[in-house]
Amino acid sequence: SQKIEQNSEALNIQEGKTATLTCNYTNYSPAYLQWYRQDPGRGPVFLLLIRENEKEKRKERLKVTFDTTLKQSLFHITASQPADSATYLCALDQTGGYNKLIFGAGTRLAVHP
Amino acid sequence: GAVVSQHPSWVICKSGTSVKIECRSLDFQATTMFWYRQFPKQSLMLMATSNEGSKATYEQGVEKDKFLINHASLTLSTLTVTSAHPEDSSFYICSALTSGGVDEQFFGPGTRLTVL
């Protein structure tokens, strides 16, 4: 079955450092992958989408890579700030289901001053 | 940017009652909306796809008679949890798909349902 794995342990980093989050998937060939931010008790907020034919995408301090051979995406936040503290979810389109997403459980990021 | 609202933001009900949750796209038309459920520390699980003017498509394992979905207009979809039980207590989130080929879903703020 299709499976998405994100590091369930919280990632603690110091302000100003680069945070790197990992998303791995199996039994799957998604057409695109998305990253979302979710704050406690709130719905996810879209951050970036990267397609299968793209290796890297950037948006301000965010960078996403997509390695379809390794079946892995890396999400980077450079010059991290305490306001970046949240849970970050990766999501992939379901096979055969246009725009239907499968989400990972998310990785909680804590940026300390 | 595209804004999606949900109402209510939280609700507490007694076991056996029905609860309706509304999802609205405020500044765009959404022919497709999705309903998700999220338990604590778990991922969002897609429950159903709601298309304006047609019957919803439910994911495997989701009871369509228990979770009634109506998408009567291009800006409103409703989810009714019928005969709610404590195990239905969860965080329900909707999303709306914009047209224009960007494949981006905009999510509502979620509704916390607690069934006593």
Side-chain angles (χ1 to χ4, degrees):
Chain A
S1 61
Q2 299 167 352
K3 193 175 179 182
I4 301 173
E5 290 183 343
Q6 292 185 256
N7 193 338
S8 59
E9 293 182 11
L11 178 63
N12 291 283
I13 65 168
Q14 198 163 5
E15 182 176 9
K17 301 292 186 183
T18 296
T20 298
L21 287 72
T22 305
C23 175
N24 295 294
Y25 58 93
T26 56
N27 298 327
Y28 208 19
S29 294
Y32 58 84
L33 183 149
Q34 302 185 30
W35 282 89
Y36 289 80
R37 168 181 173 143
Q38 186 175 27
D39 290 286
R42 305 293 295 174
V45 174
F46 173 81
L47 296 175
L48 279 168
L49 178 151
I50 186 166
R51 299 188 186 279
E52 61 178 336
N53 60 349
E54 298 174 316
K55 293 204 180 299
E56 182 179 299
K57 207 151 195 187
R58 292 174 185 261
K59 179 182 176 183
E60 297 174 353
R61 294 185 295 113
L62 309 179
K63 184 179 85 171
V64 172
T65 63
F66 194 7
D67 189 326
T68 55
T69 301
L70 291 178
K71 294 188 181 296
Q72 181 182 79
S73 174
L74 298 179
F75 177 78
H76 306 272
I77 304 175
T78 59
S80 60
Q81 305 166 1
D84 295 326
S85 299
T87 296
Y88 291 87
L89 311 171
C90 75
L92 296 86
D93 63 303
Q94 287 193 33
T95 300
Y98 184 67
N99 281 307
K100 292 168 65 172
L101 299 176
I102 297 178
F103 279 85
T107 298
R108 190 166 64 85
L109 171 67
V111 181
H112 303 283
Chain B
V3 179
V4 176
S5 70
Q6 281 185 241
H7 179 79
S9 56
W10 60 271
V11 57
I12 301 173
C13 69
K14 292 182 178 180
S15 186
T17 61
S18 295
V19 174
K20 180 186 282 188
I21 302 171
E22 293 185 348
C23 176
R24 293 182 184 273
S25 57
L26 298 185
D27 50 2
F28 66 100
Q29 294 183 332
T31 54
T32 302
M33 290 183 173
F34 301 94
W35 285 96
Y36 296 84
R37 181 166 54 180
Q38 185 178 33
F39 292 105
K41 298 189 187 298
Q42 294 187 25
S43 61
L44 279 76
M45 298 297 295
L46 180 64
M47 299 174 66
T49 303
S50 169
N51 292 298
E52 186 266 339
S54 62
K55 288 184 179 180
T57 304
Y58 291 82
E59 295 300 301
Q60 193 172 10
V62 178
E63 301 175 55
K64 62 179 182 180
D65 294 331
K66 181 169 183 62
F67 298 99
L68 301 179
I69 292 173
N70 184 278
H71 194 155
S73 77
L74 287 172
T75 60
L76 174 65
S77 175
T78 60
L79 168 68
T80 301
V81 183
T82 62
S83 187
H85 291 284
E87 57 265 31
D88 298 323
S89 299
S90 187
F91 193 49
Y92 291 86
I93 309 172
C94 71
S95 71
L97 199 59
T98 60
S99 58
V102 178
D103 298 332
E104 181 178 335
Q105 292 186 30
F106 291 91
F107 284 80
T111 297
R112 173 73 60 191
L113 170 63
T114 302
V115 185
L116 302 176

